[in-house]
mmCIF file of all heavy atoms in Angstrom:
data_model
loop_
_atom_site.group_PDB
_atom_site.id
_atom_site.type_symbol
_atom_site.label_atom_id
_atom_site.label_comp_id
_atom_site.label_asym_id
_atom_site.label_seq_id
_atom_site.Cartn_x
_atom_site.Cartn_y
_atom_site.Cartn_z
ATOM 1 N N LEU A 301 3.589 -97.544 23.791
ATOM 2 C CA LEU A 301 3.974 -96.469 22.886
ATOM 3 C C LEU A 301 4.126 -95.141 23.625
ATOM 4 O O LEU A 301 3.373 -94.852 24.567
ATOM 5 C CB LEU A 301 2.947 -96.308 21.751
ATOM 6 C CG LEU A 301 2.670 -97.543 20.911
ATOM 7 C CD1 LEU A 301 1.600 -97.236 19.858
ATOM 8 C CD2 LEU A 301 3.910 -98.024 20.229
ATOM 9 N N GLU A 302 5.047 -94.340 23.190
ATOM 10 C CA GLU A 302 5.256 -93.009 23.824
ATOM 11 C C GLU A 302 4.027 -92.192 23.630
ATOM 12 O O GLU A 302 3.537 -91.964 22.509
ATOM 13 C CB GLU A 302 6.446 -92.339 23.216
ATOM 14 C CG GLU A 302 6.729 -90.962 23.811
ATOM 15 C CD GLU A 302 7.802 -90.178 23.045
ATOM 16 O OE1 GLU A 302 8.471 -90.761 22.189
ATOM 17 O OE2 GLU A 302 7.926 -88.978 23.323
ATOM 18 N N SER A 303 3.451 -91.724 24.762
ATOM 19 C CA SER A 303 2.209 -90.946 24.739
ATOM 20 C C SER A 303 1.084 -91.694 24.042
ATOM 21 O O SER A 303 0.162 -91.090 23.512
ATOM 22 C CB SER A 303 2.431 -89.574 24.058
ATOM 23 O OG SER A 303 3.381 -88.827 24.790
ATOM 24 N N GLY A 304 1.205 -93.012 24.007
ATOM 25 C CA GLY A 304 0.185 -93.819 23.364
ATOM 26 C C GLY A 304 0.205 -93.761 21.871
ATOM 27 O O GLY A 304 -0.731 -94.154 21.192
ATOM 28 N N TYR A 305 1.323 -93.215 21.265
ATOM 29 C CA TYR A 305 1.331 -92.992 19.842
ATOM 30 C C TYR A 305 2.610 -93.389 19.112
ATOM 31 O O TYR A 305 2.584 -93.969 18.066
ATOM 32 C CB TYR A 305 1.045 -91.513 19.589
ATOM 33 C CG TYR A 305 0.541 -91.164 18.219
ATOM 34 C CD1 TYR A 305 -0.714 -91.474 17.831
ATOM 35 C CD2 TYR A 305 1.433 -90.634 17.267
ATOM 36 C CE1 TYR A 305 -1.159 -91.202 16.556
ATOM 37 C CE2 TYR A 305 1.011 -90.382 15.980
ATOM 38 C CZ TYR A 305 -0.306 -90.638 15.625
ATOM 39 O OH TYR A 305 -0.728 -90.385 14.355
ATOM 40 N N TRP A 306 3.793 -93.122 19.689
ATOM 41 C CA TRP A 306 5.046 -93.260 18.953
ATOM 42 C C TRP A 306 5.836 -94.514 19.389
ATOM 43 O O TRP A 306 5.925 -94.849 20.561
ATOM 44 C CB TRP A 306 5.914 -92.018 19.142
ATOM 45 C CG TRP A 306 5.257 -90.787 18.526
ATOM 46 C CD1 TRP A 306 5.210 -90.501 17.222
ATOM 47 C CD2 TRP A 306 4.591 -89.754 19.228
ATOM 48 N NE1 TRP A 306 4.512 -89.328 17.025
ATOM 49 C CE2 TRP A 306 4.114 -88.858 18.227
ATOM 50 C CE3 TRP A 306 4.331 -89.484 20.580
ATOM 51 C CZ2 TRP A 306 3.417 -87.712 18.565
ATOM 52 C CZ3 TRP A 306 3.607 -88.350 20.886
ATOM 53 C CH2 TRP A 306 3.161 -87.478 19.909
ATOM 54 N N ARG A 400 -0.693 -84.631 20.767
ATOM 55 C CA ARG A 400 -1.248 -85.046 22.071
ATOM 56 C C ARG A 400 -2.454 -84.182 22.433
ATOM 57 O O ARG A 400 -3.442 -84.670 22.991
ATOM 58 C CB ARG A 400 -0.170 -84.942 23.140
ATOM 59 C CG ARG A 400 0.834 -86.095 23.128
ATOM 60 C CD ARG A 400 1.717 -86.082 24.370
ATOM 61 N NE ARG A 400 2.651 -84.991 24.374
ATOM 62 C CZ ARG A 400 3.912 -85.088 23.903
ATOM 63 N NH1 ARG A 400 4.348 -86.223 23.490
ATOM 64 N NH2 ARG A 400 4.714 -84.029 23.947
#
Side-chain angles (χ1 to χ4, degrees):
L301 302 179
E302 181 188 348
S303 299
Y305 199 77
W306 295 284
R400 282 192 289 265

